[in-house]
Amino acid sequence: MERTLSIVKPDGVKKNIIGQVISRFEAAGLKVTGLKMVRLTKAEAERFYAVHKERPFFGSLTEFMSSGPVVPMVISGGDAVKKVRDIMGATDFKKAAPGTIRKDFADSIEANIVHGSDAAETAAFEIAYFFNALETF
Ligand code: ATP
Ligand code: MG
């Protein structure tokens, strides 16, 4: 059993596909074990994506991530980190495999619908960023 953090980003919420993202995780045998809707401030988005602070897209990314409500969720199951990232597809939707969330729904490399932790250690930090002990199961 492994846990990871996924987020339906502001573009996914605006496109009304929260349910479709969740359905794809559930269809792969993964379980939603924490779920909420929040709107990040710019500063909160900057802390979440702090690993990218030197990247040229950091300002735009954190503007985007704070532009509307997002849906963070804890996803649990065997090999959850890798499974979620496989279901999401490559960062650049143009390079994403057919049938992935980003291939099917993303509009740009930035507005790519969904986030997924990139490793178990990253997931621990990211889950704790959004959920306290009473909010995950
Ligand atoms: P995420 O961390 O959101 O799951 P990822 O791990 O596939 O995505 P990262 O390299 O961690 O990709 O980049 C974080 C996010 O920053 C991307 O999902 C995308 O929204 C944005 N991003 C990444 N590269 C670029 C780029 N070259 N131009 C604009 N935005 C980018
Ligand atoms: Mg990443």
Side-chain angles (χ1 to χ4, degrees):
M1 234 282 291
E2 190 173 66
R3 301 202 308 165
T4 189
L5 184 89
S6 182
I7 305 175
V8 182
K9 297 183 179 185
D11 57 329
V13 174
K14 283 196 189 89
K15 287 188 168 183
N16 213 22
I17 54 169
I18 299 165
Q20 293 194 62
V21 171
I22 292 173
S23 286
R24 289 180 184 216
F25 296 149
E26 290 179 338
L30 297 164
K31 279 200 152 35
V32 177
T33 54
L35 183 72
K36 60 174 66 171
M37 180 178 279
V38 294
R39 177 150 184 186
L40 298 172
T41 64
K42 180 88 158 44
E44 287 164 347
E46 286 169 356
R47 265 192 293 141
F48 181 76
Y49 275 120
V51 290
H52 294 313
K53 66 176 180 292
E54 308 303 336
R55 308 286 284 277
F57 58 81
F58 182 67
S60 175
L61 170 62
T62 54
E63 277 294 336
F64 164 61
M65 287 301 290
S66 57
S67 67
V70 297
V71 178
M73 60 186 107
V74 182
I75 302 292
S76 300
D79 215 11
V81 169
K82 181 175 187 302
K83 275 192 191 149
V84 163
R85 288 187 67 90
D86 287 349
I87 294 164
M88 285 167 31
T91 310
D92 181 355
F93 73 105
K94 290 180 187 150
K95 295 177 186 151
T100 60
I101 292 170
R102 285 167 167 172
K103 183 69 169 189
D104 289 347
F105 300 114
D107 289 327
S108 72
I109 189 162
E110 178 176 271
N112 61 6
I113 307 290
V114 71
H115 164 82
S117 308
D118 59 15
E121 310 77 65
T122 324
F125 162 79
E126 293 184 350
I127 290 168
Y129 197 76
F130 287 103
F131 296 92
N132 70 39
L134 300 179
E135 294 171 329
T136 60
F137 298 88

